[in-house]
Amino acid sequence: MVADCQEHTLNIITGYDAITLREKVDLTAATERLDDLGNMRSLSALNEKVSLLRLLGRLDEAWEIANEAWRLSRFTGDREHAVASRIRRAQVLQYQGKLDEAATELNHCILDAETHEWTNASAEARQHRGKVLYDMGELDAALADFTAAVSLREKDGATADELEGCLIAVAVVESFIAERTHRS
């Protein structure tokens, strides 16, 4: 489920900002893909819409659909899909500036994913919690999550494109930590 959405989204992401760690987006491609999804209501379509709306900065719509996707995933009874939907909800919270709420949501996702040994979901949750921690200025904790995400993704056989965001995050956070250490 997470992989389906990532496949389309990776084509829309053109890189990563080396300061904010946010995705650089092909806005035209993202808008076209959102139009392609139209009124589709499947769980995979809803999850992809959440990601696209977040990347386009349409956060109120993203939040509404994220909640719809989470409810639908809970009704299907597949807990791994529910975790993936919660991760997307947390990303929207982060973009809305609700960092404490996003971190709490991701803590629950990590606990659930690691309890059930869902490697991909755990990697996703750790990478996104790392971004939240980074936004909060908690660089050491962010680095720990990014490093764990890289390890989990490698264990899961991730492609170079799938690893790129994590590896950039590790490099950026390491450079900020080194700079902080040199100033001390």
Side-chain angles (χ1 to χ4, degrees), residues 119-138:
T119 306
N120 188 39
S122 180
E124 277 289 302
R126 284 194 172 272
Q127 180 175 351
H128 294 297
R129 186 176 69 180
K131 289 182 179 185
V132 171
L133 293 167
Y134 176 82
D135 284 355
M136 296 170 95
E138 297 180 24

Side-chain angles (χ1 to χ4, degrees), residues 135-148:
D135 284 355
M136 296 170 95
E138 297 180 24
L139 298 181
D140 295 316
L143 181 59
D145 270 348
F146 291 139
T147 303

Side-chain angles (χ1 to χ4, degrees), residues 4-41:
D4 293 343
C5 183
Q6 283 178 340
E7 185 177 315
H8 290 293
T9 306
L10 284 175
N11 296 327
I12 292 165
I13 296 171
T14 61
Y16 297 88
D17 185 280
I19 302 298
T20 66
L21 302 182
R22 303 259 171 124
E23 301 93 338
K24 293 180 182 178
V25 179
D26 179 338
L27 298 175
T28 302
T31 302
E32 287 173 1
R33 180 63 185 155
L34 191 57
D35 290 343
D36 289 345
L37 293 170
N39 291 324
M40 291 179 164
R41 306 311 291 172

Side-chain angles (χ1 to χ4, degrees), residues 22-23 25 34 49-68 88-99 135:
R22 303 259 171 124
E23 301 93 338
V25 179
L34 191 57
K49 286 179 186 182
V50 171
S51 295
L52 292 167
L53 290 165
R54 177 184 54 82
L55 292 171
L56 291 167
R58 294 165 54 182
L59 301 179
D60 290 339
E61 291 171 85
W63 179 248
E64 182 179 315
I65 293 176
N67 283 312
E68 184 179 342
R88 285 187 193 83
R89 277 176 23 129
Q91 288 178 282
V92 175
L93 287 168
Q94 177 199 4
Y95 273 61
Q96 290 175 328
K98 299 174 181 174
L99 301 180
D135 284 355

